[in-house]
Amino acid sequence: MSNLTITNYKFDESLSDELRLNHYAKNMWPLVYILNDGASNKAYIGETTDVFKRMNTHLKNETKNKLNYVTIITCDKFNKSATLDIESNLIRYMSGDNKYVLLNGNMGIANHNYYQKQEVYWSIFTDIWNKLQSKNIVEHSLNHITNSDLFKYSPYKSLSEEQLTGLFSILEGIHDVNTSKVIVNGGAGTGKTILAIFLFKLLHSDLDDFNFRDLGDDISGFIKLIKDIRSNKKELRMALVVPMSSFRETLQNVFKNIQGLSKNMVIGPSGITKDLSNKYDIVIVDEAHRLRRRRNLTNYKSFDDSCKKLGLDPAKSNELEWILSRSKTTILFHDYQQTIKPSDIDSECFRELELDPNNKKVELKSQLRVKGGTEYVRFINNLLLNSTNFTVSNIDFHDYELKLFDSLDDMIDVVEKRDQEYGLSRLIAGFAWRWISKNDKSKYDIEIGDTRLRWNSTNKDWINKKGCNREVGCIHTTQGYDLNYTGIVFGPEISYDADNNEICVLKDNYHDKNGKNSIKTEAELKDYIVNIYKTILLRGIRGTYIYVCDQKLREYFKRFIPMSVNQSHREFDIRDIIIDDNVESNENRIPLYNLRAAAGPFSEVQQIDELDWVMPPSNISNCNSVFVCQVVGESMNKIIPNGSYCLFKKCEAGSRNGKIVLAESFDVQFDDGAYTVKEYESIKWQGDTSWEHEKIILKPRSTDTSFEDIILTGEDLTSFHVVGEFVQVLESSQFDYKDK
């Protein structure tokens, strides 16, 4: 147990006498303090080992000496590293709590690790926070703040080494008179928005309050750049341009609660044309890939009017040209893979800027949002581009939860549960349904089976709207936002072409009019739709759940994404699809064998007889090539839950590597065999004229890591046979019982 104390003092000339009675203060112990004033709602947070000297300095400061109280936080476990860390956390969380506007220039120390930081000192920090809450110095819980936009987009953040390098490059570009444009490329979740806001705060902070130790090893270089940039003007005329109205409003709310910034600094592209008297010194554009051209717009007049004010031809101009014409230095945060509709500016405009040697280019590659990291991002790209050279077995995203659902209702239930546990868990879908509830609140937009849902009821800041967890967001209301968990619905506008092994799109099922009108080729539409799904698949910090409407695409995804084990197929009853014996035709029935294949080691020896005939699932047309049997055990539970009835197809020529198979092992002395279901991998030996199996590996796909590979070599291979290839787990939703 730590001896944690939090003591309030009046912040005036009598403070030194009071502090001499404090054991930690008089003995030069590391401590943390909060200067605050309830009337002005301003606060300053710091740490020190010489509290007397520090307080005397603050009392002489024209801004800080107007604060009335100081809260001293002491603990017998404090050391310098701990107080630096607690100072940083207090600044981060108190800025998100929003009870006080902080006078700090930035947070504490960046990426600072020390002994027992997580094991001991996070617990001490939570105790500090709880005590501050009891003293009415803070108002909200840590969990609540973590989910708030003010916390997520606060400039009081530790920057990664990559971000610090990028920041220095951007500052060099601003300082260089020969450079007027800086292009910062980074995928979803690489911290572009945080870096943009940090830069804004950096150039609007009182340098006396800015803690330059946060800026890495080259502190002198940072200081010189910042001072040089600000030397000519006391105040830089700056704007943050955000093309999407929903996200713009969110960042406006963030800016109005940050000392030195105001909501008026965050504008839309047309805002750049309102005051033509003076150019902006610096314009930062977040989500620059969403800047528009004159194509598929909802308001052509507004676009044309802005062009005319700038003396530009509306037919040839775009919003990027507006910004470049009104800014001395332009910083563009951009991602080629997040262009989602024809109105988005042509990517070639950005490539031309990158090729200009007078412009500066910065790359952000590290994944900072999604806990699955860059491996998850690479997986999503490969999955949607069909360049998959992996199987579900080697997916490892650490603590990130990625699951595929066969039941939409199950996925909705899990998303609601995660929302109750963590908050900010939402449903998002592709634009495959019309928004009919926009004008009639009694109607539903999305109907899948018996499930009926509505699109987002507002376009502005939808993810924070009360009750939105029962609605479905789209790309336009979620791009740029962070969520804890997302439930993604792949609509019927996207499918899979098995013959060509590629994602395909169905234009008639895509209902964003401005997203498809004027598109001339299917390839262009596919790029937009795939980019939409890439973008929304990278919203979830902790996990992503997926439901796929299209059966072909669902089966493709099943090869690579672990299945959720809490599926409705557990309620499936094989007796419901058994066909009476008097049905003579084999065309509309499938044999059900009395085989219980082991999802584990090979089963006991079984004599296989045809047990019954069952109805075919709605997606199966050739009943002669398939059969049904039951799979028992947990070694394949990522894909096949224990006890499931599964459809297998009889083996055909060709490679089976990476596929799930029903395998038989038998002794040549007997007619009967033992069975297992596993993922198949064959290692072959090539001779002069033919090849032979050197080794066959049967791999489990289980949440239980105790299951091991079955490896067959030598004589084992002669008593081994693949009976069939796995097709799907049978579920009630796949059958039309009325036809029985």
Side-chain angles (χ1 to χ4, degrees), residues 475-486:
I475 181 64
H476 306 305
T477 52
T478 57
Q479 191 169 19
Y481 286 96
D482 292 351
L483 296 165
N484 284 321
Y485 288 89
T486 54

Side-chain angles (χ1 to χ4, degrees), residues 319-337:
E319 291 176 342
L320 176 60
E321 189 176 359
W322 304 356
I323 292 163
L324 295 178
S325 71
R326 297 297 307 142
S327 174
K328 297 175 185 176
T329 300
T330 308
I331 303 161
L332 303 166
F333 288 85
H334 177 263
D335 179 9
Y336 287 106
Q337 296 192 52

Side-chain angles (χ1 to χ4, degrees), residues 134-150:
S134 71
K135 293 176 179 292
N136 196 30
I137 295 174
V138 299
E139 292 183 340
H140 299 94
S141 70
L142 293 175
N143 285 339
H144 173 85
I145 293 169
T146 300
N147 286 331
S148 70
D149 290 327
L150 186 56

Side-chain angles (χ1 to χ4, degrees), residues 478-637:
T478 57
Q479 191 169 19
Y481 286 96
D482 292 351
L483 296 165
N484 284 321
Y485 288 89
T486 54
I488 308 297
V489 180
F490 277 73
E493 88 285 21
I494 184 166
S495 183
Y496 174 69
D497 181 351
D499 292 335
N500 295 306
N501 184 34
E502 65 178 8
I503 299 289
C504 57
V505 296
L506 307 173
K507 184 176 181 179
D508 291 343
N509 293 340
Y510 185 57
H511 292 296
D512 185 352
K513 291 182 180 179
N514 291 324
K516 70 176 180 179
N517 290 346
S518 79
I519 290 180
K520 297 179 180 179
T521 67
E522 183 178 312
E524 184 182 2
L525 179 62
K526 176 182 172 180
D527 285 343
Y528 288 131
I529 292 176
V530 167
N531 278 355
I532 286 171
Y533 282 106
K534 280 184 185 178
T535 301
I536 60 179
L537 283 164
L538 297 177
R539 296 299 101 194
I541 297 170
R542 296 172 177 269
T544 299
Y545 306 125
I546 297 172
Y547 175 81
V548 183
C549 292
D550 182 85
Q551 184 68 32
K552 294 177 182 177
L553 185 63
R554 189 187 309 171
E555 295 304 319
Y556 166 66
F557 278 10
K558 281 183 178 180
R559 289 158 52 187
F560 308 108
I561 302 175
M563 293 295 298
S564 170
V565 296
N566 297 318
Q567 296 291 295
S568 60
H569 57 63
R570 291 198 168 194
E571 301 173 1
F572 174 74
D573 191 336
I574 192 68
R575 293 172 295 182
D576 291 337
I577 63 168
I578 291 177
I579 298 175
D580 295 338
D581 290 337
N582 57 10
V583 175
E584 296 181 359
S585 173
N586 288 342
E587 294 180 2
N588 294 310
R589 62 180 187 171
I590 296 173
L592 167 65
Y593 294 110
N594 66 339
L595 160 65
R596 289 166 59 88
F602 280 96
S603 69
E604 297 294 327
V605 173
Q606 300 178 60
Q607 181 176 350
I608 305 306
D609 296 312
E610 200 173 275
L611 180 63
D612 275 303
W613 294 90
V614 296
M615 297 167 53
S618 57
N619 64 313
I620 298 298
S621 57
N622 183 8
C623 296
N624 293 323
S625 64
V626 293
F627 61 91
V628 173
C629 66
Q630 189 177 28
V631 177
V632 294
E634 298 291 346
S635 78
M636 294 296 292
N637 64 20

